């Protein structure tokens, strides 16, 4: 009987340790001066703060939680309430690491170190940003003034 109880406890421990619980989002913003960042999410037409983080060593923001995040679109927001970048969370992407070697709010320097699907999403955002730059340059008037 003791052997069965020990085997049951051991199997329960193993299954609990292999199941991914919680979330961890590491954000490396090389040129950020912020000491606080927010993890926000969208729900219908509103934005809510899910987590707050204070800068760690090496200019890192580390957001951690014991339960999984709901699937959806999330943002990393500066202490001045400007959005650094958006990303998505699904069942498989609960532990992410973002790195930006350029200006913190410049999507063109952003990379995701451990998620190919996130990199595809970021590449799409970079493409859209480049297209906006091209459109703005086309709508430049002859005397050099820009208008939209």
């Amino acid at each position: 009987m003791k052997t069965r109880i020990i085997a049951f406890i051991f199997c329960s421990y193993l299954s609990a340790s292999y199941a991914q619980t919680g979330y961890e989002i590491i954000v490396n913003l090389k040129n950020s001066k912020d000491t606080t960042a927010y993890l926000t999410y969208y729900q219908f037409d509103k934005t809510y703060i899910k987590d707050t983080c204070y800068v760690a060593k090496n200019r890192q923001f580390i957001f951690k939680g014991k339960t999984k995040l709901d699937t959806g679109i999330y943002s990393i927001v500066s202490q001045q309430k400007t959005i650094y970048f958006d990303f998505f969370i699904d069942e498989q992407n609960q532990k992410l690491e973002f790195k930006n070697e350029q200006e913190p709010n410049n999507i063109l320097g952003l990379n995701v170190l451990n998620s190919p699907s996130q990199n595809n999403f970021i590449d799409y955002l970079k493409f859209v940003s480049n297209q906006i730059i091209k459109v703005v340059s086309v709508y430049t008037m002859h005397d050099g003034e820009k208008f939209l």
Side-chain angles (χ1 to χ4, degrees), residues 8 13 16 27 36 47-48 58 64 98 101 108 110 139-140:
F8 175 75
Y13 174 76
V27 181
T36 306
T47 302
Y48 298 96
N58 300 328
K64 279 187 178 183
F98 297 94
E101 294 289 331
L108 300 177
L110 184 64
Y139 287 106
T140 302

Side-chain angles (χ1 to χ4, degrees), residues 61-79:
F61 293 103
I62 302 173
F63 298 94
K64 279 187 178 183
K66 293 181 180 179
T67 59
K68 283 187 169 186
L69 294 170
D70 293 332
T71 59
I73 301 294
Y74 287 77
S75 299
I76 301 298
V77 179
S78 73
Q79 64 192 35

Side-chain angles (χ1 to χ4, degrees), residues 11-28:
C11 290
S12 297
Y13 174 76
L14 282 178
S15 65
S17 65
Y18 283 116
Q20 182 186 26
T21 57
Y23 67 92
E24 181 178 55
I25 300 169
I26 300 171
V27 181
N28 296 300

Side-chain angles (χ1 to χ4, degrees), residues 26-27 35 43 47 49 73 93 104-105 110 121 130:
I26 300 171
V27 181
T35 58
Q43 192 169 45
T47 302
I49 296 175
I73 301 294
N93 289 304
N105 59 352
L110 184 64
F121 180 67
N130 283 327

